[in-house]
Amino acid sequence: MSVTATIRIQEADFDVAQEIAALSKGRTDVGAVVTFSGICRGSENGEPIAALTLEHYPGMAEAEIGRHADEALSRWPLQGLTIIHRFGRIAPGENIVLVAAASPHRQAAFEAAEFLMDYLKTNAPFWKREESEKGTSWVEARDHDDAAAARWTKP
Amino acid sequence: MSVTATIRIQEADFDVAQEIAALSKGRTDVGAVVTFSGICRGSENGEPIAALTLEHYPGMAEAEIGRHADEALSRWPLQGLTIIHRFGRIAPGENIVLVAAASPHRQAAFEAAEFLMDYLKTNAPFWKREESEKGTSWVEARDHDDAAAARWTKP
Amino acid sequence: MRVKYFAWVRERVGVAEETVEPPADVRTVNDLIGWLSSRGEAYAYAFEKPKVIRAAIDQAHVKPDAVIAGAREIAFFPPMTGG
Amino acid sequence: MRVKYFAWVRERVGVAEETVEPPADVRTVNDLIGWLSSRGEAYAYAFEKPKVIRAAIDQAHVKPDAVIAGAREIAFFPPMTGG
């Protein structure tokens, strides 16, 4: 069975429920669906945030995420994989990113979703800018995200 | 902030989307929601299955899951936690179990959901019986589920 | 003392729940398994492999050497397969 | 050769995209950063900490010593913060 990932880089919001349903509806071979939803928080380090703006590198974002989705499909026995990443202005409480993985086995679904989230946090060409009362500033990359991503590197 | 887990042991099906929404709607402090949906598969070891029937120990199931939910809340910085486990007859493609964890941080949400699923697979008082053409048989516990659950034991 | 059985232990014993009054020398869960096994073929069959059987006292998991004195409810069941 | 800039690199340079024709002795990504930095204050500011800057050639991540010959599109940006 050949599985193709669904990848969407879009400005519009998305519906997590619809994406889960698309992975498992009408089939009876899926035993586990793991989803990760990343949501815009209303404050960072105690300071209120009015919105995030996500800039991305069109073309490279799709290609890079596609390569990592293919890697996940080859490393874990997945039956479906959906990755959605938004760009543009995103208000607190709104979705930023979704990874949903379907598998006969729970561990595979968990690991694939974690692998892809660690990748998206560190190497997908997206950049977050925060708007607060003090003005706007680019979010800085965090070392512990790099460490999380390094877990998956094959020796 | 004191967080209480939502725990439901029920015969009726549930709506994953509604449960995710209940965890994060109307608040802007949640950064990550991880969900695990366990779904009844239509075959096991290549043999078609007509349905699963889940027996449980009423009272103990709620108490035991409640204790493990509390442990998850104390080990990870969670903002919301929902655990739903069905009992009775469940057809292929239907939901069996849901764990949904909300947190400001993705790693906490992933780990809490995995911890609870490993627990539910090995120590929650539920027993699965499979119906197939050959008749009905009780599902045997698997060693690798015990090994997965043992990961979380504090030294 | 109320005793409950689940899954194939229940099927083998033939009842889901009963009230028993074991003698005073039945002190632990293991003793109780031995005593129940002596009550008839159905029980002997249910408990033929005692190492496979799990037990709970008052709805909390216990080991075979747990003391049963004071227990209101004791349950026996196979390894769990939820989730 | 087309050069693209993203996030605060873009803001500092002042353009999102431009076409440049560096001299033949500009062979690597690092050479190109050096050459761009010499083109004016805005570039010098954008590339003031070259170790922080990430680069991609034809939409794939590359190291600073990657050779730029044959590249259609080179992009410079800060560490990524998606997800």
Side-chain angles (χ1 to χ4, degrees), chain D residues 45-83:
Chain D
Y45 178 43
F47 293 107
E48 67 180 352
K49 290 176 184 160
K51 287 197 175 163
V52 176
I53 304 293
R54 309 294 175 93
I57 292 183
D58 294 338
Q59 309 196 346
H61 293 293
V62 294
K63 303 239 156 123
D65 61 0
V67 171
I68 63 174
R72 289 185 309 275
E73 181 174 303
I74 300 187
F76 294 103
F77 40 78
M80 289 138 287
T81 55

Side-chain angles (χ1 to χ4, degrees), chain A residues 99-142:
Chain A
V99 170
S103 173
H105 303 292
R106 74 183 185 288
Q107 202 60 34
F110 270 120
E111 287 186 9
E114 284 189 78
F115 162 78
L116 287 164
M117 279 310 306
D118 286 344
Y119 155 70
L120 290 171
K121 284 274 175 187
T122 53
N123 277 306
F126 288 82
W127 299 271
K128 288 196 186 100
R129 197 174 51 188
E130 287 172 1
E131 280 172 44
S132 73
E133 286 189 358
K134 292 187 187 165
T136 68
S137 63
W138 293 95
V139 173
E140 286 198 40
R142 299 181 306 178

Side-chain angles (χ1 to χ4, degrees), chain B residues 54-60 63-64 67 85 96-97 117 119-129 138-141 146, chain C residues 2 4-11 16 54-62 73-83:
Chain B
L54 273 117
E55 180 170 334
H56 77 300
Y57 186 168
M60 181 170 170
E64 265 278 305
R67 263 198 298 277
H85 203 309
I96 300 171
V97 63
M117 280 310 307
Y119 155 70
L120 290 170
K121 285 272 174 190
T122 53
N123 278 304
F126 289 82
W127 299 271
K128 289 196 185 100
R129 197 174 52 189
W138 293 96
V139 173
E140 286 199 40
D146 289 330
Chain C
R2 194 162 63 219
K4 291 188 171 189
Y5 308 101
F6 292 95
W8 56 254
V9 178
R10 171 181 56 71
E11 288 182 336
R54 309 295 175 92
I57 292 182
D58 294 338
Q59 309 196 346
H61 292 294
V62 294
E73 179 174 305
I74 300 187
F76 294 104
F77 40 78
M80 289 137 287
T81 54

Side-chain angles (χ1 to χ4, degrees), chain D:
Chain D
M1 155 185 314
R2 195 162 61 219
V3 183
K4 289 187 171 190
Y5 309 100
F6 292 96
W8 56 254
V9 178
R10 171 181 55 71
E11 288 183 336
R12 290 182 179 190
V13 168
V15 298
E17 188 175 332
E18 63 185 331
T19 301
V20 300
E21 293 185 17
D25 63 340
V26 172
R27 301 169 59 86
T28 67
V29 165
N30 234 349
D31 292 346
L32 183 59
I33 287 177
W35 180 75
L36 287 167
S37 297
S38 72
R39 293 177 74 210
E41 256 179 50
Y43 292 93
Y45 178 43
F47 293 107
E48 67 180 352
K49 290 176 184 160
K51 287 197 175 163
V52 176
I53 304 293
R54 309 294 175 93
I57 292 183
D58 294 338
Q59 309 196 346
H61 293 293
V62 294
K63 303 239 156 123
D65 61 0
V67 171
I68 63 174
R72 289 185 309 275
E73 181 174 303
I74 300 187
F76 294 103
F77 40 78
M80 289 138 287
T81 55

Side-chain angles (χ1 to χ4, degrees), chain A residues 65-132:
Chain A
I65 293 176
R67 262 198 299 276
H68 284 78
D70 288 345
E71 184 175 344
L73 291 170
S74 73
R75 287 176 78 164
W76 290 281
L78 303 180
Q79 298 165 308
L81 178 60
T82 301
I83 302 168
I84 305 176
H85 203 308
R86 291 180 66 194
F87 59 85
R89 193 164 185 275
I90 297 175
E94 285 184 27
N95 293 312
I96 300 171
V97 64
L98 173 74
V99 170
S103 173
H105 303 292
R106 74 183 185 288
Q107 202 60 34
F110 270 120
E111 287 186 9
E114 284 189 78
F115 162 78
L116 287 164
M117 279 310 306
D118 286 344
Y119 155 70
L120 290 171
K121 284 274 175 187
T122 53
N123 277 306
F126 288 82
W127 299 271
K128 288 196 186 100
R129 197 174 51 188
E130 287 172 1
E131 280 172 44
S132 73

